[in-house]
Amino acid sequence: MNKVSKWQETEEPKLIQKDFLTLADYSKDDIMSLLYDALELKKQQKMGISHPYLSGKVLGLIFEKSSTRTRVSFEVGMLQLGGHAIFLSSRDIQLGRGETVSDTAKVLSRYVDGIMVRTFEHETVEEFAKYASIPVINGLTDLHHPTQVMADLLTILEHKGKLSGLKLCYIGDGNNNMAHSLLEGAAKVGMHINIASSEGYKPNEIIIQNAKKVGSKTGSKIMITNNPTTAIQDADVVVTDVWTSMGQEKEVQKRLQEFKDYQVNQALCENAKPDFIFLHCLPAHRGEEVTAEIIDGPHSVVFDEAENRLHAQKAILKALLGKKS
Protein backbone atom coordinates (compact mmCIF):
# COMPACT_ATOMS: atom_id res chain seq x y z
CA MET A 1 0.00 0.00 0.00
CA ASN A 2 1.29 3.43 -0.92
CA LYS A 3 1.61 5.47 2.28
CA VAL A 4 2.80 8.62 0.52
CA SER A 5 0.75 11.73 1.10
CA LYS A 6 -0.07 14.30 -1.59
CA TRP A 7 2.71 16.65 -2.62
CA GLN A 8 2.01 19.94 -4.35
CA GLU A 9 4.65 19.80 -7.06
CA THR A 10 5.50 21.45 -10.34
CA GLU A 11 4.85 19.50 -13.53
CA GLU A 12 8.54 18.85 -14.07
CA PRO A 13 11.43 18.97 -11.57
CA LYS A 14 13.55 22.02 -12.34
CA LEU A 15 16.95 21.96 -10.73
CA ILE A 16 18.81 25.23 -10.30
CA GLN A 17 22.22 23.60 -10.53
CA LYS A 18 23.74 22.18 -13.71
CA ASP A 19 25.28 19.28 -11.79
CA PHE A 20 24.35 16.84 -9.00
CA LEU A 21 27.37 16.79 -6.70
CA THR A 22 26.04 17.12 -3.13
CA LEU A 23 22.61 17.45 -1.53
CA ALA A 24 23.78 20.69 0.05
CA ASP A 25 23.37 22.32 -3.37
CA TYR A 26 19.62 21.75 -3.46
CA SER A 27 16.57 23.09 -1.66
CA LYS A 28 13.94 21.03 0.11
CA ASP A 29 11.57 21.67 -2.79
CA ASP A 30 14.18 20.46 -5.29
CA ILE A 31 14.71 17.24 -3.35
CA MET A 32 11.03 16.57 -2.73
CA SER A 33 10.16 17.27 -6.36
CA LEU A 34 12.76 14.72 -7.46
CA LEU A 35 11.50 12.15 -4.95
CA TYR A 36 7.91 12.46 -6.10
CA ASP A 37 8.96 12.29 -9.72
CA ALA A 38 10.91 9.12 -8.83
CA LEU A 39 7.71 7.66 -7.35
CA GLU A 40 5.84 8.45 -10.56
CA LEU A 41 8.58 6.92 -12.73
CA LYS A 42 8.58 3.83 -10.51
CA LYS A 43 4.81 3.53 -10.83
CA GLN A 44 5.03 3.81 -14.61
CA GLN A 45 7.79 1.21 -14.78
CA LYS A 46 5.82 -1.26 -12.62
CA MET A 47 2.78 -0.78 -14.88
CA GLY A 48 4.83 -1.32 -18.01
CA ILE A 49 4.33 2.24 -19.22
CA SER A 50 7.30 3.42 -21.26
CA HIS A 51 8.77 6.83 -20.45
CA PRO A 52 11.46 7.67 -23.04
CA TYR A 53 12.18 11.16 -21.71
CA LEU A 54 15.85 10.82 -22.65
CA SER A 55 15.48 9.33 -26.12
CA GLY A 56 18.74 9.76 -28.00
CA LYS A 57 20.67 10.91 -24.91
CA VAL A 58 23.95 9.26 -23.89
CA LEU A 59 25.44 9.14 -20.38
CA GLY A 60 29.13 8.47 -19.84
CA LEU A 61 29.91 6.43 -16.71
CA ILE A 62 33.42 6.91 -15.31
CA PHE A 63 34.41 4.38 -12.64
CA GLU A 64 37.59 4.69 -10.59
CA LYS A 65 35.88 2.65 -7.84
CA SER A 66 34.18 -0.66 -8.57
CA SER A 67 30.42 -0.98 -8.16
CA THR A 68 27.42 -3.26 -8.52
CA ARG A 69 24.38 -1.10 -7.79
CA THR A 70 25.73 2.17 -9.19
CA ARG A 71 26.71 0.77 -12.56
CA VAL A 72 23.66 -1.41 -13.10
CA SER A 73 21.13 1.17 -11.88
CA PHE A 74 22.53 3.97 -14.06
CA GLU A 75 22.78 1.75 -17.15
CA VAL A 76 19.28 0.31 -16.70
CA GLY A 77 17.92 3.75 -15.80
CA MET A 78 19.19 5.31 -19.01
CA LEU A 79 17.81 2.37 -21.03
CA GLN A 80 14.37 2.69 -19.43
CA LEU A 81 14.40 6.43 -20.13
CA GLY A 82 15.09 5.74 -23.80
CA GLY A 83 18.78 6.65 -23.76
CA HIS A 84 22.10 4.87 -23.61
CA ALA A 85 25.02 4.60 -21.17
CA ILE A 86 28.69 3.99 -21.89
CA PHE A 87 30.84 2.36 -19.20
CA LEU A 88 34.26 4.01 -18.96
CA SER A 89 36.68 2.33 -16.58
CA SER A 90 39.64 4.50 -15.60
CA ARG A 91 41.82 1.58 -16.74
CA ASP A 92 40.42 1.81 -20.25
CA ILE A 93 40.47 5.55 -20.92
CA GLN A 94 43.32 8.04 -21.07
CA LEU A 95 42.44 9.37 -17.62
CA GLY A 96 44.10 6.25 -16.25
CA ARG A 97 47.27 7.04 -18.20
CA GLY A 98 47.70 10.57 -16.97
CA GLU A 99 45.36 12.71 -19.07
CA THR A 100 44.08 15.58 -16.95
CA VAL A 101 40.57 15.62 -15.57
CA SER A 102 39.94 18.95 -17.29
CA ASP A 103 40.91 17.61 -20.73
CA THR A 104 38.83 14.46 -20.22
CA ALA A 105 35.81 16.54 -19.16
CA LYS A 106 36.14 18.84 -22.19
CA VAL A 107 36.47 15.93 -24.64
CA LEU A 108 33.58 13.93 -23.21
CA SER A 109 31.41 17.04 -23.34
CA ARG A 110 31.69 16.83 -27.13
CA TYR A 111 30.49 13.20 -27.20
CA VAL A 112 27.91 12.56 -24.49
CA ASP A 113 25.05 14.43 -22.83
CA GLY A 114 26.06 13.82 -19.22
CA ILE A 115 28.79 12.26 -17.09
CA MET A 116 28.49 10.16 -13.94
CA VAL A 117 31.73 9.92 -11.95
CA ARG A 118 32.43 7.38 -9.18
CA THR A 119 35.81 8.15 -7.70
CA PHE A 120 37.90 8.67 -4.56
CA GLU A 121 38.62 12.36 -3.97
CA HIS A 122 35.64 14.70 -4.06
CA GLU A 123 37.81 17.32 -5.73
CA THR A 124 37.92 15.08 -8.81
CA VAL A 125 34.18 15.24 -9.43
CA GLU A 126 34.22 18.98 -8.70
CA GLU A 127 36.92 19.42 -11.34
CA PHE A 128 34.89 17.39 -13.84
CA ALA A 129 31.93 19.69 -13.20
CA LYS A 130 34.08 22.81 -13.52
CA TYR A 131 35.40 21.94 -16.97
CA ALA A 132 32.50 19.95 -18.44
CA SER A 133 29.87 21.85 -20.39
CA ILE A 134 27.35 19.08 -19.67
CA PRO A 135 25.80 17.87 -16.38
CA VAL A 136 28.04 15.88 -14.02
CA ILE A 137 26.59 13.50 -11.42
CA ASN A 138 28.48 12.36 -8.34
CA GLY A 139 28.07 8.57 -8.23
CA LEU A 140 30.21 8.43 -5.06
CA THR A 141 33.30 10.07 -3.62
CA ASP A 142 35.04 9.54 -0.30
CA LEU A 143 33.22 12.62 1.01
CA HIS A 144 29.68 12.35 -0.40
CA HIS A 145 27.21 9.78 -1.76
CA PRO A 146 24.18 11.88 -2.76
CA THR A 147 22.56 9.45 -5.22
CA GLN A 148 22.48 6.73 -2.57
CA VAL A 149 20.91 9.04 -0.01
CA MET A 150 18.26 10.09 -2.53
CA ALA A 151 17.37 6.39 -2.76
CA ASP A 152 17.35 6.20 1.05
CA LEU A 153 15.00 9.19 1.32
CA LEU A 154 12.76 7.65 -1.34
CA THR A 155 12.62 4.38 0.60
CA ILE A 156 11.79 6.14 3.87
CA LEU A 157 9.10 8.20 2.13
CA GLU A 158 7.51 5.05 0.71
CA HIS A 159 7.50 3.15 4.01
CA LYS A 160 6.72 6.02 6.40
CA GLY A 161 4.63 8.30 4.20
CA LYS A 162 6.64 11.39 5.14
CA LEU A 163 10.14 12.64 5.92
CA SER A 164 9.80 15.78 7.99
CA GLY A 165 9.80 15.11 11.73
CA LEU A 166 11.09 11.53 11.52
CA LYS A 167 14.16 10.52 13.52
CA LEU A 168 17.00 8.83 11.66
CA CYS A 169 19.87 7.19 13.52
CA TYR A 170 23.16 6.38 11.79
CA ILE A 171 25.60 4.14 13.69
CA GLY A 172 29.18 3.37 12.72
CA ASP A 173 31.90 5.27 10.86
CA GLY A 174 30.71 8.86 11.01
CA ASN A 175 33.51 10.19 8.83
CA ASN A 176 32.32 8.59 5.62
CA ASN A 177 30.32 9.56 2.56
CA MET A 178 27.03 8.05 3.76
CA ALA A 179 27.06 9.88 7.09
CA HIS A 180 27.88 13.15 5.34
CA SER A 181 25.17 12.90 2.70
CA LEU A 182 22.63 11.70 5.27
CA LEU A 183 23.42 14.78 7.36
CA GLU A 184 22.86 17.03 4.37
CA GLY A 185 19.74 15.24 3.15
CA ALA A 186 18.07 14.96 6.55
CA ALA A 187 18.68 18.61 7.34
CA LYS A 188 17.21 19.69 4.00
CA VAL A 189 13.96 17.75 4.38
CA GLY A 190 13.45 18.40 8.09
CA MET A 191 14.33 14.98 9.47
CA HIS A 192 16.08 14.68 12.82
CA ILE A 193 19.38 12.82 12.59
CA ASN A 194 21.55 11.28 15.29
CA ILE A 195 25.01 9.96 14.43
CA ALA A 196 26.82 7.63 16.83
CA SER A 197 30.47 7.02 16.10
CA SER A 198 33.75 6.24 17.83
CA GLU A 199 36.01 9.10 18.85
CA GLY A 200 38.21 10.08 15.96
CA TYR A 201 35.59 9.06 13.40
CA LYS A 202 33.15 11.93 13.71
CA PRO A 203 31.68 13.51 10.56
CA ASN A 204 33.41 16.37 8.80
CA GLU A 205 32.96 19.43 11.04
CA ILE A 206 32.15 21.79 8.17
CA ILE A 207 29.38 19.45 6.99
CA ILE A 208 28.02 19.21 10.54
CA GLN A 209 27.90 22.97 10.98
CA ASN A 210 26.32 23.54 7.56
CA ALA A 211 23.69 20.88 8.31
CA LYS A 212 22.89 22.50 11.66
CA LYS A 213 22.51 25.86 9.93
CA VAL A 214 20.08 24.36 7.43
CA GLY A 215 18.34 22.41 10.18
CA SER A 216 17.65 25.58 12.14
CA LYS A 217 15.40 26.63 9.26
CA THR A 218 13.76 23.28 8.49
CA GLY A 219 13.26 22.06 12.07
CA SER A 220 15.87 19.31 11.78
CA LYS A 221 17.63 18.46 15.04
CA ILE A 222 21.15 17.02 14.81
CA MET A 223 23.03 15.01 17.45
CA ILE A 224 26.60 13.74 17.16
CA THR A 225 27.51 11.32 19.95
CA ASN A 226 29.70 8.35 20.79
CA ASN A 227 26.81 6.57 22.53
CA PRO A 228 24.80 4.33 20.15
CA THR A 229 22.11 3.61 22.76
CA THR A 230 21.40 7.31 23.16
CA ALA A 231 21.43 7.88 19.41
CA ILE A 232 19.00 5.09 18.54
CA GLN A 233 16.41 5.99 21.20
CA ASP A 234 12.95 6.16 19.56
CA ALA A 235 14.44 6.15 16.06
CA ASP A 236 12.11 5.69 13.10
CA VAL A 237 14.97 4.75 10.79
CA VAL A 238 18.22 2.96 11.64
CA VAL A 239 21.13 3.11 9.20
CA THR A 240 24.64 1.74 9.14
CA ASP A 241 27.44 1.18 6.63
CA VAL A 242 30.55 -0.96 6.40
CA TRP A 243 33.26 -0.08 8.90
CA THR A 244 35.99 -0.28 6.26
CA SER A 245 35.30 1.42 2.95
CA MET A 246 37.14 1.04 -0.37
CA GLY A 247 40.65 2.42 -0.06
CA GLN A 248 40.82 1.72 3.70
CA GLU A 249 41.65 -2.00 3.49
CA LYS A 250 44.90 -1.60 5.45
CA GLU A 251 42.85 -0.35 8.44
CA VAL A 252 40.57 -3.40 8.72
CA GLN A 253 41.82 -4.73 12.06
CA LYS A 254 42.05 -1.28 13.61
CA ARG A 255 38.49 -0.46 12.54
CA LEU A 256 37.10 -3.77 13.76
CA GLN A 257 38.43 -2.85 17.20
CA GLU A 258 37.30 0.79 17.04
CA PHE A 259 33.71 -0.02 16.08
CA LYS A 260 33.10 -3.25 17.99
CA ASP A 261 30.61 -1.47 20.26
CA TYR A 262 28.73 0.03 17.29
CA GLN A 263 27.20 -3.08 15.80
CA VAL A 264 23.52 -2.80 14.90
CA ASN A 265 22.00 -5.83 16.59
CA GLN A 266 18.73 -6.91 18.22
CA ALA A 267 19.66 -5.66 21.68
CA LEU A 268 20.55 -2.19 20.41
CA CYS A 269 17.47 -1.97 18.18
CA GLU A 270 15.18 -2.63 21.16
CA ASN A 271 15.70 1.08 21.85
CA ALA A 272 14.31 2.16 18.47
CA LYS A 273 10.60 2.52 17.77
CA PRO A 274 8.78 -0.81 17.39
CA ASP A 275 8.10 -0.08 13.72
CA PHE A 276 11.58 1.18 12.80
CA ILE A 277 13.00 0.37 9.38
CA PHE A 278 16.61 -0.63 8.76
CA LEU A 279 18.70 0.69 5.85
CA HIS A 280 22.14 -0.27 4.56
CA CYS A 281 23.57 0.89 1.22
CA LEU A 282 25.22 -2.53 0.64
CA PRO A 283 27.40 -4.48 0.32
CA ALA A 284 27.06 -5.53 3.97
CA HIS A 285 29.34 -7.54 6.25
CA ARG A 286 27.00 -9.62 8.38
CA GLY A 287 28.43 -10.13 11.83
CA GLU A 288 30.41 -6.88 11.70
CA GLU A 289 28.43 -3.63 11.40
CA VAL A 290 25.08 -5.47 11.47
CA THR A 291 23.82 -8.89 12.51
CA ALA A 292 21.97 -11.19 10.15
CA GLU A 293 18.83 -11.06 12.34
CA ILE A 294 18.54 -7.34 11.64
CA ILE A 295 19.54 -7.05 7.98
CA ASP A 296 17.59 -10.18 7.05
CA GLY A 297 14.79 -9.56 9.54
CA PRO A 298 11.32 -7.98 9.31
CA HIS A 299 12.52 -4.41 9.86
CA SER A 300 14.97 -4.48 6.96
CA VAL A 301 14.11 -2.70 3.73
CA VAL A 302 17.60 -2.89 2.22
CA PHE A 303 16.45 -4.46 -1.04
CA ASP A 304 13.70 -1.87 -1.51
CA GLU A 305 16.46 0.66 -0.88
CA ALA A 306 18.74 -0.98 -3.46
CA GLU A 307 15.95 -1.00 -6.06
CA ASN A 308 15.24 2.65 -5.39
CA ARG A 309 18.72 3.58 -6.59
CA LEU A 310 17.24 2.98 -10.04
CA HIS A 311 14.14 5.13 -9.59
CA ALA A 312 15.80 8.01 -7.72
CA GLN A 313 18.57 8.23 -10.30
CA LYS A 314 16.09 8.18 -13.16
CA ALA A 315 14.45 11.26 -11.67
CA ILE A 316 17.84 12.97 -11.40
CA LEU A 317 18.77 12.03 -14.94
CA LYS A 318 15.42 13.21 -16.28
CA ALA A 319 15.79 16.56 -14.51
CA LEU A 320 19.37 17.15 -15.62
CA LEU A 321 19.37 15.72 -19.13
CA GLY A 322 15.73 16.10 -20.15
CA LYS A 323 14.13 18.73 -22.29
CA LYS A 324 14.36 22.15 -20.68
CA SER A 325 11.41 24.54 -20.92
Side-chain angles (χ1 to χ4, degrees):
M1 181 180 296
N2 190 345
K3 297 181 180 180
V4 180
S5 57
K6 179 66 177 175
W7 171 256
Q8 299 301 318
E9 56 184 308
T10 57
E11 292 184 2
E12 295 290 335
K14 294 180 175 63
L15 300 186
I16 298 172
Q17 306 294 329
K18 172 178 78 75
D19 309 300
F20 198 85
L21 304 186
T22 78
L23 295 180
D25 296 331
Y26 296 95
S27 68
K28 177 179 180 178
D29 285 350
D30 283 334
I31 293 171
M32 296 305 300
S33 182
L34 285 172
L35 293 176
Y36 278 88
D37 198 43
L39 287 174
E40 178 60 29
L41 290 169
K42 184 174 183 177
K43 177 182 176 182
Q44 291 176 12
Q45 189 259 325
K46 297 296 185 184
M47 295 176 63
I49 300 172
S50 64
H51 38 251
Y53 295 106
L54 300 185
S55 178
K57 300 286 186 176
V58 179
L59 178 71
L61 304 173
I62 296 179
F63 283 84
E64 292 189 311
K65 281 188 173 184
S66 59
S67 168
T68 299
R69 281 150 292 276
T70 299
R71 177 176 178 179
V72 176
S73 58
F74 269 109
E75 288 194 9
V76 172
M78 282 299 292
L79 182 64
Q80 290 182 356
L81 289 168
H84 302 275
I86 300 176
F87 176 76
L88 302 169
S89 166
S90 61
R91 296 184 299 272
D92 302 326
I93 60 177
Q94 297 301 324
L95 186 66
R97 298 181 59 203
E99 183 172 45
T100 64
V101 169
S102 59
D103 283 357
T104 303
K106 290 174 183 177
V107 169
L108 289 179
S109 294
R110 305 293 182 101
Y111 296 148
V112 299
D113 300 286
I115 304 171
M116 189 288 305
V117 182
R118 182 178 171 94
T119 187
F120 292 88
E121 296 181 357
H122 189 71
E123 290 75 14
T124 300
V125 76
E126 290 181 325
E127 190 172 1
F128 262 101
K130 178 179 179 181
Y131 290 101
S133 58
I134 55 177
V136 173
I137 298 170
N138 175 8
L140 174 144
T141 66
D142 288 343
L143 196 63
H144 296 282
H145 201 352
T147 55
Q148 175 65 59
V149 170
M150 285 295 290
D152 290 5
L153 294 177
L154 181 61
T155 306
I156 298 166
L157 183 61
E158 282 187 311
H159 283 270
K160 295 296 185 181
K162 65 175 185 176
L163 295 175
S164 181
L166 294 178
K167 180 186 288 187
L168 182 149
C169 171
Y170 173 93
I171 297 173
D173 182 3
N175 190 28
N176 82 348
N177 47 30
M178 281 302 299
H180 293 153
S181 288
L182 283 168
L183 272 168
E184 293 180 337
K188 288 285 182 174
V189 301
M191 292 180 68
H192 309 310
I193 178 169
N194 297 346
I195 293 183
S197 186
S198 177
E199 291 293 340
Y201 295 88
K202 303 298 184 185
N204 179 285
E205 188 60 31
I206 294 175
I207 293 175
I208 293 173
Q209 294 307 317
N210 287 342
K212 286 183 176 180
K213 184 177 180 179
V214 171
S216 68
K217 300 176 182 178
T218 63
S220 170
K221 297 177 182 178
I222 295 170
M223 174 197 293
I224 311 296
T225 179
N226 60 7
N227 189 324
T229 303
T230 299
I232 203 172
Q233 195 68 42
D234 295 325
D236 299 284
V237 183
V238 178
V239 188
T240 191
D241 193 6
V242 294
W243 291 340
T244 306
S245 298
M246 283 179 283
Q248 300 170 338
E249 288 79 7
K250 293 182 180 179
E251 302 177 24
V252 170
Q253 294 305 315
K254 177 185 177 183
R255 286 171 171 269
L256 286 174
Q257 184 63 28
E258 287 282 355
F259 295 115
K260 62 183 175 61
D261 295 327
Y262 293 85
Q263 183 186 75
V264 177
N265 52 41
Q266 185 63 41
L268 182 63
C269 289
E270 292 292 335
N271 297 284
K273 286 185 178 177
D275 62 345
F276 80 92
I277 58 174
F278 173 76
L279 301 178
H280 191 307
C281 62
L282 303 178
H285 296 159
R286 288 165 174 81
E288 289 185 15
E289 73 273 8
V290 61
T291 58
E293 64 182 339
I294 294 298
I295 195 170
D296 299 319
H299 295 278
S300 177
V301 294
V302 298
F303 295 109
D304 290 347
E305 176 189 11
E307 178 189 343
N308 280 337
R309 287 292 302 275
L310 171 65
H311 308 297
Q313 287 162 187
K314 283 168 66 176
I316 295 167
L317 289 165
K318 178 187 169 193
L320 291 179
L321 307 185
K323 181 179 178 181
K324 301 296 189 290
S325 59

